Amino acid sequence: MQPKSERTAWIKGGEARCKTIPANPAQPRRLILLGAPGVGKGTQAELLSERLGACHLSTGDIFRSAKNLDACERTPTMSRALDFMLRGDLVPDEIVLGLVAERSGCLRCRGGFLLDGFPRTVAQAEALGKVLGEQQVAIDAVLSYDMPLKTIVARLSGRRTCSICKAVFHVDTRPPKVSGICDHCGAALIQREDDRPESVRVRMDAYEKSTAPLAEFYRKKGVLVSVAAEGTPEEIFKRTLKALNGRAG
Ligand code: AMP
């Protein structure tokens, strides 16, 4: 098990640097995780990060972290991005690509990386391919977490997140011991604004239109690895490792 990576450079961008750089693994892994919102790819990214030592780089986490700042601390571009995000819409490519370009050092990190939520459109995938090509860094595999859409919508609308420690629960499948209260830190559980039913519908449309074609994009490049996203996080994780090892072997 690897220590949790700190991700300061990724979350803050600009001049921010991580104090601890992951140890040099024998085989740094550079993976992209694809899948509709709600399939549990964030959880898989965390588990993979602990196992492989690679940083979990989520573009959604950059936006959520900016949302917690005071309005005067946000750049105008970030405020614009948050308007899209809170409606459940995709943030425009030029804003996302600007944020990632500012953090391109994370793609060169010796610990490798696990990209989660980026790329989300074919234009973003093409831009990422260009950046990685310039840096002479190659993707090992693109993990595509597959699940029927109906199951995803039920999952997202029942999801509750701790307002302090960000632990994730579900009103039906993973309820907290006391309704509305986090098991770990006792803080209130909230529904993420983008998990509300009206935002979920918009996010699913955005996924079908913009993100689903990415699987085809990477399949054609011969790097796509499909993983069934049904079952417990541990079961899905075992399936993920098996799929990755199968690919390496
Ligand atoms: P996530 O946590 O990955 O589901 O992202 C939450 C929200 O942030 C999404 O619904 C989008 O509004 C926005 N977002 C995150 N990553 C991207 C991206 N690569 N392209 C466009 N919008 C994004």
Side-chain angles (χ1 to χ4, degrees):
M1 189 87 55
Q2 308 275 345
K4 201 167 160 45
S5 51
E6 61 164 277
R7 303 191 307 160
T8 307
W10 180 256
I11 297 295
K12 295 198 173 150
E15 300 297 305
R17 294 286 172 270
C18 294
K19 282 201 200 81
T20 47
I21 306 292
N24 219 348
Q27 186 194 10
R29 303 306 293 255
R30 299 185 178 98
L31 304 172
I32 296 176
L33 282 71
L34 291 185
V39 296
K41 60 182 180 341
T43 307
Q44 293 306 310
E46 286 295 317
L47 294 170
L48 281 165
S49 174
E50 278 174 21
R51 178 64 66 95
L52 306 173
C55 274
H56 172 196
L57 305 182
S58 150
T59 35
D61 283 350
I62 300 176
F63 296 128
R64 278 184 287 280
S65 147
K67 190 172 147 265
N68 293 334
L69 297 174
D70 287 336
C72 60
E73 288 179 272
R74 289 181 208 141
T75 62
T77 307
M78 187 53 88
S79 301
R80 221 182 117 225
L82 293 180
D83 288 342
F84 285 92
M85 181 197 158
L86 295 181
R87 284 200 303 269
D89 270 328
L90 288 187
V91 174
D93 284 344
E94 79 270 14
I95 297 185
V96 179
L97 292 174
L99 290 177
V100 173
E102 210 188 290
R103 292 160 172 79
S104 62
C106 293
L107 303 174
R108 288 192 301 269
C109 181
R110 67 180 183 196
F113 58 77
L114 303 158
L115 278 173
D116 164 18
F118 176 85
R120 237 185 177 93
T121 63
V122 171
Q124 290 181 13
E126 282 166 347
L128 173 66
K130 211 167 149 223
V131 174
L132 292 177
E134 281 161 11
Q135 303 189 359
Q136 299 185 320
V137 170
I139 292 291
D140 297 317
V142 177
L143 293 163
S144 174
Y145 289 96
D146 302 333
M147 179 181 273
L149 221 70
K150 235 172 83 191
T151 318
I152 298 172
V153 173
R155 272 194 167 200
L156 281 179
S157 28
R159 184 157 76 175
R160 298 292 180 273
T161 308
C162 175
S163 50
I164 302 295
C165 76
K166 310 295 172 206
V168 178
F169 297 84
H170 191 282
V171 289
D172 298 322
T173 56
R174 203 176 170 189
K177 291 191 187 100
V178 179
S179 170
I181 303 292
C182 177
D183 287 356
H184 308 295
C185 71
L189 297 182
I190 51 162
Q191 185 171 39
R192 268 169 46 175
E193 279 177 70
D194 58 350
D195 281 346
R196 303 221 164 108
E198 56 283 15
S199 296
V200 168
R201 270 192 299 277
V202 180
R203 287 167 78 191
M204 285 304 144
D205 283 352
Y207 175 74
E208 289 279 283
K209 258 195 250 122
S210 309
T211 312
L214 274 183
E216 198 43 42
F217 177 90
Y218 285 119
R219 183 174 293 118
K220 282 192 189 138
K221 294 196 179 294
V223 287
L224 193 78
V225 177
S226 295
V227 182
E230 311 262 10
T232 64
E234 293 72 25
E235 286 165 351
I236 304 167
F237 186 52
K238 271 195 198 145
R239 230 174 272 147
T240 302
L241 293 178
K242 204 169 155 205
L244 278 178
N245 290 338
R247 200 182 144 72

